[in-house]
Amino acid sequence: MAHAVFQPRSAYASGAGYRLLPLRFGRLDGSSTYIVTNDVGEYVRLERDELVAFVERRLAPDTSAYKALKSRHFLYEDTSSVAFELLALKYRSRAERIAEFTGLHIFVVTLRCDHSCQYCQVSRRSEESAQYDMTAAHADKALDLVFRSPNERIKIELQGGEPLLNFPLVRHIVERAQAMNQIHRRDLQFVITSNLSRLSDDVLLFCKEHDVHLSTSLDGPADLHDAQRPTRGGSSHQTTIQGIHRAREVLGPDRISALMTTTPRSLQRVDDIVDEYVRLGFDGIFLRSLSPYGFATRSLIKRYGVEDWLDFYKRGLSHILRVNAGGYFLREDFTTILLQKMFSPLGSAYVDLQSPAGIGIGALVYNYDGAVYASDEGRMLAEMGDETFRLGHLDHDSYEALMTSDALLSPLGDTILEGMPMCSDCPFLPYCGADPVFHRATQGDAVGHKAFSAFCAKQMGVLRHVIGLLETDTEAREILLRWI
């Protein structure tokens, strides 16, 4: 059970020597231990009797619990309101990302692909289906919108399908964006998300000349990767590994990253998956769960539940911590995002964990056909027949029309966690976010019923586990804090 304590400042009673600032609390591990958080992500672990004494304003000032609560802005004393002002300053700092507006711009340059991955979130098309390529005219219109964003840091991600099947357009987008940036002067980055099957010398040279990063998929050892990511004419794992090595040789070791997806085949192979990333010299791995979109909904998504993935994650994190203890630095990237939200003054820019939701104001997607979506998942949902998160079209709608459309403003208004049912009382609110597309896909509603939400179950399960490690395992805490 989670609870929140909110009172208007004028209602705080005096006489006890201190006043409470807004807080949320809930059981950490099913025992008498509670996690208490405030709006800026500070947390304190208290026993039940300490929590009751604190809320009733009878906690003694000489106790360690009182000192921890005071230092982390859960109370301020009658003699000074400095903690109140510091809390407000921290809250403003964490909210500044909203004003920065859209930083990530995703171009779906084609739906064509030469792989047939069972968990694919996109309705991929065959290599011969050129009608599913984005045109240069639509790309140019999308670039005009990209630079309308006030964000000083712009990342353009080129996706598919397999984007290198439409490499002439990839080249056009990068070169035109860099030319436009001579005027706009933004911190401009490019990423091509590719399976690396079409990674030619020309592509690598282009990436080197234009400082383009690469991102690929790596699901684990060869037998697992090939089973999950089949392709015609050979081993997709071998092709991927060769592409990783070539990219590192030409671009440098930090210009290519990899991402895995957890399928039913993966659940008992987490140590093997982690070891494959270590063998290949990566310094990060994202233990990513399946998403309820595209082909995954018809093949794999229903074959394991949240508890299955949480068990996979916990075993994987334990193995990663052992790898680090043995002298090899390896982050688990999802855990790192949560740690940033806990301990960084600015939180994390990860689009999927924002309040209000990161759709639109965190990322925009320009589809191959000119349609504009509030998120990549919103585009995937549209491929399944639900266009709830379609903002408009490049041929018909202005930047102003897209960014003030009901398809964007309505879910943004509904996904401020402090006003969402159950979220407003949850102690994990400062570390979480709203995912309206997930809840629309799984529950038919952008807000969703949190008691039945797989998203919430996943977040709470991970956070309880990570905070438990931070509070009870000294060696794990030292390793985890090195990741941020």
Side-chain angles (χ1 to χ4, degrees):
M1 180 72 70
H3 302 275
V5 177
F6 299 112
Q7 299 178 58
R9 188 182 181 192
S10 60
Y12 292 144
S14 60
Y18 67 86
R19 308 186 188 198
L20 274 65
L21 290 165
L23 60 92
R24 298 171 181 85
F25 60 90
R27 287 190 178 183
L28 181 58
D29 53 11
S31 68
S32 62
T33 302
Y34 285 77
I35 176 73
V36 184
T37 64
N38 60 20
D39 287 337
V40 299
E42 300 279 7
Y43 80 84
V44 178
R45 182 169 171 258
L46 298 176
E47 295 302 315
R48 187 179 188 280
D49 58 343
E50 294 173 322
L51 177 60
V52 171
F54 172 58
V55 172
E56 293 179 349
R57 291 188 294 277
R58 55 181 178 80
L59 188 64
D62 59 350
T63 61
S64 58
Y66 184 98
K67 294 173 183 177
L69 289 161
K70 179 181 177 181
S71 68
R72 297 172 193 176
H73 314 308
F74 287 92
L75 64 86
Y76 68 95
E77 296 170 339
D78 291 342
T79 57
S80 173
S81 63
V82 170
F84 187 90
E85 305 300 334
L86 286 174
L87 187 70
L89 178 61
K90 286 186 174 184
Y91 192 86
R92 287 196 297 271
S93 297
R94 290 175 73 90
E96 283 179 356
R97 291 190 187 277
I98 299 174
E100 292 177 354
F101 226 59
T102 317
L104 175 62
H105 298 262
I106 297 173
F107 286 65
V108 182
V109 299
T110 184
L111 288 187
R112 294 186 290 142
C113 190
D114 54 3
H115 281 50
S116 52
C117 308
Q118 294 178 339
Y119 58 71
C120 184
Q121 300 171 10
V122 185
S123 297
R124 62 182 180 269
R125 303 295 177 177
S126 67
E127 297 179 56
E128 297 77 24
S129 303
Q131 67 269 32
Y132 295 101
D133 286 359
M134 177 183 277
T135 66
H138 281 151
D140 289 345
K141 291 178 180 179
L143 285 170
D144 290 339
L145 297 185
V146 167
F147 288 99
R148 290 294 305 278
S149 170
N151 201 310
E152 292 299 320
R153 293 174 294 277
I154 297 291
K155 178 183 286 188
I156 294 177
E157 188 170 310
L158 301 146
Q159 287 192 7
E162 171 47 54
L164 295 183
L165 288 171
N166 195 9
F167 181 63
L169 185 66
V170 170
R171 180 189 295 273
H172 172 81
I173 291 169
V174 172
E175 291 177 344
R176 186 168 189 270
Q178 290 182 328
M180 294 173 70
N181 201 41
Q182 295 298 312
I183 298 172
H184 295 284
R185 314 298 293 179
R186 307 295 178 84
D187 179 1
L188 186 60
Q189 301 177 36
F190 301 95
V191 178
I192 298 175
T193 302
S194 169
N195 60 39
L196 306 183
S197 63
R198 305 303 174 104
L199 190 64
S200 65
D201 291 340
D202 287 344
V203 170
L204 283 170
L205 180 60
F206 175 82
C207 291
K208 182 176 182 179
E209 291 176 346
H210 296 272
D211 195 23
V212 177
H213 292 230
L214 294 171
S215 176
T216 194
S217 293
L218 178 64
D219 282 351
D223 64 312
L224 180 60
H225 183 96
D226 286 343
Q228 297 186 169
R229 301 182 57 81
T231 186
R232 291 178 295 182
S235 166
S236 60
H237 180 269
Q238 183 179 2
T239 300
T240 299
I241 300 307
Q242 290 174 346
I244 290 170
H245 289 318
R246 290 176 64 204
R248 286 174 172 167
E249 290 173 0
V250 176
L251 306 179
D254 61 342
R255 290 297 188 267
I256 183 164
S257 59
L259 186 68
M260 62 80 58
T261 299
T262 307
T263 71
R265 288 190 182 93
S266 312
L267 291 177
Q268 302 307 317
R269 301 285 303 276
V270 67
D271 287 7
D272 295 337
I273 295 167
V274 171
D275 290 344
E276 181 73 351
Y277 274 70
V278 173
R279 183 181 74 83
L280 292 169
F282 285 105
D283 60 9
I285 181 172
F286 197 129
L287 299 176
R288 190 172 67 129
S289 59
L290 280 169
S291 298
Y293 315 105
F295 289 109
T297 61
R298 299 193 291 272
S299 58
L300 297 171
I301 190 65
K302 297 179 181 178
R303 298 187 190 175
Y304 72 77
V306 177
E307 291 302 321
D308 297 314
W309 182 85
L310 283 171
D311 178 68
F312 170 87
Y313 165 81
K314 292 174 183 178
R315 288 185 285 110
L317 183 60
S318 177
H319 188 54
I320 292 168
L321 292 173
R322 290 195 297 272
V323 167
N324 279 268
Y328 183 94
F329 180 86
L330 181 71
R331 297 183 312 272
E332 199 289 310
D333 290 335
F334 186 60
T335 308
T336 303
I337 290 165
L338 297 176
L339 292 169
Q340 289 169 343
K341 291 182 76 74
M342 290 180 193
F343 297 109
S344 170
L346 297 179
S348 168
Y350 184 60
V351 172
D352 292 349
L353 291 180
Q354 300 299 317
S355 173
I359 59 173
I361 58 176
L364 281 173
V365 178
Y366 312 99
N367 203 21
Y368 75 96
D369 59 359
V372 182
Y373 294 95
S375 72
D376 203 21
E377 292 77 11
R379 187 255 305 194
M380 298 168 188
L381 194 63
E383 295 284 351
M384 299 167 63
D386 185 342
E387 294 193 338
T388 298
F389 300 95
R390 185 182 187 273
L391 305 185
H393 197 280
L394 292 168
D395 288 339
H396 314 303
D397 297 294
S398 66
Y399 179 79
E400 289 77 10
L402 293 168
M403 303 311 291
T404 59
S405 65
D406 288 341
L408 179 58
L409 296 185
S410 179
L412 287 180
D414 290 340
T415 56
I416 299 173
L417 294 184
E418 288 81 357
M420 294 181 71
M422 297 187 72
C423 292
S424 60
D425 294 336
C426 182
F428 302 117
L429 179 150
Y431 319 129
C432 199
D435 194 336
V437 188
F438 181 94
H439 288 106
R440 174 74 183 181
T442 57
Q443 297 188 18
D445 178 81
V447 174
H449 194 310
K450 304 306 181 185
F452 303 104
S453 167
F455 175 88
C456 293
K458 172 186 173 180
Q459 292 299 116
M460 289 189 290
V462 171
L463 285 163
R464 283 193 174 98
H465 184 65
V466 171
I467 293 173
L469 289 174
L470 290 169
E471 291 298 307
T472 62
D473 189 326
T474 302
E475 183 180 34
R477 179 183 176 88
E478 291 177 355
I479 294 170
L480 291 170
L481 294 182
R482 286 202 295 266
W483 294 356
I484 55 178

